[in-house]
Amino acid sequence: MGIIKMGKVAIAVTKLGQIVETGLEQKNLDTLDRRCVIVCQYRSCQANGSAEVLEAFQAAKVAGVEVTSSGCQGMCSSGPTVRIVPEETWYCRVQPSDVPVIVEEHLKGGQPVEAKLNPRIHLPYSF
């Protein structure tokens, strides 16, 4: 992931050239190079329980993983949205009961939880 700085504002760009964050201040730039769980706290996600999802991830305390909240991530119809960077894994409709599974299988075990992957981003395919 690359970071383009413009004064106090920056844009984070993936290796494929996708803009993943805009308007970052300097204090937030360090978290982009480390593993981070980002839980949307915008209106529709909050209406579906994202505050409790954020609390569950914060309580899990996984070594080397930061947990933070965000504004809208653009997936309002499938919230609460959880994004894990730098690998850009997007989970949808995450509930507090899903957090232990995501922590054990993905954050500790390295395997994304297929059942919670956002199908608009992680397209299912078969041959």
Side-chain angles (χ1 to χ4, degrees):
M1 179 175 319
I3 298 172
I4 302 166
K5 297 178 185 177
M6 297 175 285
K8 288 187 173 182
V9 178
I11 300 171
V13 182
T14 67
K15 291 177 183 172
L16 298 176
Q18 299 168 312
I19 295 175
V20 293
E21 294 287 345
T22 59
L24 299 168
E25 292 184 26
Q26 184 64 42
K27 65 179 180 173
N28 295 328
L29 294 177
D30 295 335
T31 62
L32 291 174
D33 293 328
R34 294 183 299 173
R35 204 162 194 208
C36 187
V37 175
I38 304 168
V39 183
C40 181
Q41 295 298 302
Y42 200 64
R43 292 181 198 151
S44 59
C45 285
Q46 277 197 334
N48 288 306
S50 66
E52 292 82 7
V53 173
L54 177 62
E55 288 174 11
F57 274 111
Q58 289 171 331
K61 297 190 188 301
V62 180
V65 177
E66 182 176 338
V67 176
T68 189
S69 63
S70 76
C72 184
Q73 295 189 55
M75 297 290 151
C76 299
S77 65
S78 58
T81 297
V82 172
R83 192 169 106 217
I84 300 176
V85 294
E87 61 255 45
E88 287 300 331
T89 302
W90 291 68
Y91 290 111
C92 65
R93 296 183 179 89
V94 178
Q95 297 301 307
S97 59
D98 299 319
V99 172
V101 177
I102 294 170
V103 166
E104 289 302 316
E105 292 183 20
H106 187 156
L107 298 178
K108 293 181 179 177
Q111 295 297 317
V113 179
E114 297 277 334
K116 299 307 290 187
L117 290 176
N118 187 321
R120 294 169 74 190
I121 295 170
H122 302 284
L123 300 174
Y125 63 91
S126 62
F127 293 96

